[in-house]
Amino acid sequence: MRRLLLAGLVGLTVLPAVAAVPAVAPLDLKTVMADPDWIGQAVETPYWSVDGRSLYYALKRDGSPVHDLYRVDPASGQGVKLDPAAMAQADGPAVFDRAHRHAAFILHGDVFVVDLASGRRQQVTRTPQMESAPRFSADGRALQYRDGNDWYSYDLASGVAAPAAILKFADDPQAKQPDAFGRRQLELFRTLREVKADKQAVRDEDKALDAADPGRAPQPFWLGDKSRAVDTELSPDGRWMLVVTVPKDHAKGEAPKVNHYVTEGGYTEPKDARTYVGRNDPAPQSLLLLDLRGHQQYPLKTDGLPGIKDDPLKALRAQAVAALEKAGKQDEAKALKAPDVRPVRIIAGTEDGGGGGIEWSDDGSQLAIQLRAIDNKDRWIASVDFGRHVLVGQHRLTDEAWVNWNFNDFGWLRDNRTLWYLSEHSGWSQLYVKPLDGKAKALTSGRFEVSHPLLSDDGRWFYLRANRVAPYSYDVYRVPTAGGELARVTNYQGMDDFRLSPDGSQLAVLHSSPYVKAQLAVQSAAGGTPRELTSTMKPAFTAHDWIAPAIVEVPSSHGAGNIYAKYYGPANEAAAPKPAVIFVHGAGYLQNVTLSWSPYFREQMFHNLLVQQGYVVLDMDYRASEGYGRAWRTAIYRQMGHPELEDLLDGKAWLVKNHGVDPKRVGIYGGSYGGFMTEMALLRAPGEFAAGSAQRPVSDWTLYSHEYTSNILNDPQLDPEAYKASSPIEYADQLRDPLLIQHGLIDDNVLAEDSIRLYQRFIELHKKNFWMSLYPLERHGFVHADSWYDEYRRIDELFDTYVKPVRDASPGH
């Protein structure tokens, strides 16, 4: 097994001085689990300066959560850390008008505009609010920006900012009509009639002045008191505004409590967590189109979208209703009745608002909206007919399992008439274009995934991220918007993100490798040799002789093809039987077998330590993982923990066959979804693993969040069998092998009660060899080095006790 000795990149950015590193000692657990500042920092959030001559990026400050801002010259590689005075004069990530006469950006939550010819910089706002989403109007005369769901337009010539619209979620007080008693009052009393006439005269005068004077603030839109806004989007021409609303009185369902036991005040503090799946569906969203010029409002109904009146869960629904009716639960059966029109949400128009499901064309003449059925089976992209005020379906993506929460990018080409979008229609995320009145055309195709599409300012190219060479290898590619060759632009294999320069000639590229955090480089947008701009890894880390993980393909014994994995072993592997550990990554839909820096960098260092102690380690992208297409992703539909376990057992068999691993000495561990799979492995395949450690695991999917779980298992009321088949707690009676459970007590993602309930189940079943370790100050992702060390000390001791020693063939093992 070859090893990797990191010499680091050529350091061009000004960084704090580091002391000389003494001779490297063997790895130890305290070093591996220490505060990761000793490793070095990843380059974060790079962006180009307004003039395109510099790049900015952030680095976390050692020993602090504060991030410092750096500026580097991409031509020379010379960089500097900005002090507070220099930060006040820095640019932010900029947007440009179509003529490239002006740029705008957000800095410290305020809006700035720059005249590109003179370099003059003007601060537009100075408020305690956080303005966002700056963009120029279609005619280039105004700068639009938002404060929450309120939009403003700043006139570049006059320097005046005004609200684009005023939204009032209440009934129009002037629209209220008198009832019979009120009409009688007006008939009787002349003075009341005169007062009413005077009020009407003032209103009429206001309307006349508004019509004659564009400098006045607009009249409010009265939108009723039955809803509230979760998002608004202003058209670039200032003519229209789309409002996304939810019912004001929608009940989220009862929230469970998370108790904080170790607090500054000394008293236990209970806090609300997210609701359980199926306790109440997400609030349905509605669309309201406002004509700002004519001061009219038009609801955009969704009932014309293709398939929206179908019930994709019809068979499951009938089965669940029949079971409830047989049990005499008529009210519950009635509650499962299918809606006449399926409710929808705007893809990114969730409770936090912010758009993402709404895209205006550059000139404001076209509007596209992306909607998703709350049952997760359909995604639509629709345009808007402004003459008839109706949605016009342009694309429908249906998935019998669930529509992916990734690959939902869409927008308009520069012709303002052609849509582009990502879709898994072919089974893989690919890029498509579609004229409003024409057929869709694929710009990319193949058994690979594309993401991060970026349209060049001149409209000629799409730049995107793809794993075309191999599932684990990512680079920047580009393809002409008119169609043509998909050409590779970078050659890193571990490309993480990129930014196109303002003139479109250069790419700023974030790239990493298994033992090098994200670094910044720049190269021609057409391809070529890059210039490395940063080197932030520290000598104490790079001096270690880290094991380069070998990417291997494990054949599936269940017809799934090959399962990609990372294998860690010694340079000179002995033939004698050896112990092994299988690591299971979290999230389910995540790709850990790549050539980039891993989010599981601590675990990767721990794997090096395990090899040092005589183990070999396998880290698998089991079915459900990202990067391998739709079929791989949805294999777990209604059966979480089943295909994945088949893959893990195939991994164990591969280790035994190819690396002389003793089948009686294989341990397993992981966190979150990996913890769930550790429990499923020990409970559904007793005797296969010598021991397992489950960190922050889901033990009962009925306790997890709606958005994630209902995608894969549907609602528990509709599909109780899927939850029963997929929850480790249902297999608790099969515990036979040592199991360590570890959980943060203030975890508000996977609640600690999940592990505590399984622990109680084991107690009642009189099980042995199970333990639980709780961490009072940790949430789902641990942040304190002491907790990391304690957690992995226990894992290390578990494996040292139950996996590493040679085991006999006595009953029970």
Side-chain angles (χ1 to χ4, degrees), residues 568-570 573 576-581 607-617 661 665 804:
Y568 298 81
E573 199 166 286
K578 58 183 71 68
V581 170
H607 299 161
N608 278 257
L609 180 60
L610 288 175
V611 172
Q612 183 177 293
Q613 295 173 352
Y615 302 84
V616 294
V617 180
V661 165
R665 294 192 288 156
K804 193 173 185 179

Side-chain angles (χ1 to χ4, degrees), residues 229-421:
V230 293
D231 191 22
T232 59
E233 293 293 339
L234 178 65
S235 66
D237 62 3
R239 167 72 188 275
W240 304 93
M241 179 177 286
L242 187 70
V243 183
V244 184
T245 65
V246 295
K248 186 178 180 180
D249 58 355
H250 179 78
K252 294 181 179 180
E254 182 179 355
K257 304 292 183 183
V258 171
N259 285 322
H260 293 235
Y261 293 101
V262 181
T263 64
E264 288 187 15
Y267 292 90
T268 299
E269 298 176 3
K271 296 185 179 181
D272 285 345
R274 46 103 186 118
T275 54
Y276 300 141
V277 59
R279 299 307 159 189
N280 205 10
D281 283 347
Q285 295 184 352
S286 299
L287 296 166
L288 189 63
L289 183 65
L290 304 183
D291 181 347
L292 304 188
R293 187 180 303 166
H295 204 78
Q296 299 293 322
Q297 50 185 284
Y298 306 97
L300 297 178
K301 296 182 178 180
T302 60
D303 56 2
L305 294 173
I308 200 166
K309 296 181 180 179
D310 299 340
D311 181 10
L313 295 167
K314 183 177 180 180
L316 282 174
R317 194 181 306 278
Q319 183 178 336
V321 167
L324 289 169
E325 289 177 343
K326 184 177 180 180
K329 300 176 181 178
Q330 303 299 328
D331 289 344
E332 292 182 38
K334 186 177 180 180
L336 291 183
K337 180 181 180 296
D340 294 331
V341 177
R342 286 188 282 161
V344 300
R345 288 186 294 166
I346 310 306
I347 289 294
T350 57
E351 292 297 310
D352 293 328
I358 301 167
E359 291 290 341
W360 289 96
S361 61
D362 287 342
D363 65 0
S365 66
Q366 302 293 342
L367 170 61
I369 306 168
Q370 191 175 98
L371 311 98
R372 187 179 69 188
I374 283 180
D375 61 31
N376 310 309
K377 309 300 183 188
D378 273 290
R379 182 197 80 179
W380 297 270
I381 298 176
S383 58
V384 174
D385 183 326
F386 292 103
R388 297 186 297 137
H389 313 113
V390 295
L391 296 176
V392 180
Q394 296 292 339
H395 171 67
R396 178 189 180 189
L397 177 63
T398 299
D399 198 310
E400 294 178 355
W402 73 95
V403 173
N404 200 342
W405 47 76
N406 282 357
F407 312 130
N408 291 303
D409 308 65
F410 73 110
W412 297 92
L413 295 187
R414 301 300 182 210
D415 65 1
N416 299 300
R417 297 294 182 274
T418 305
L419 280 165
W420 64 263
Y421 56 87

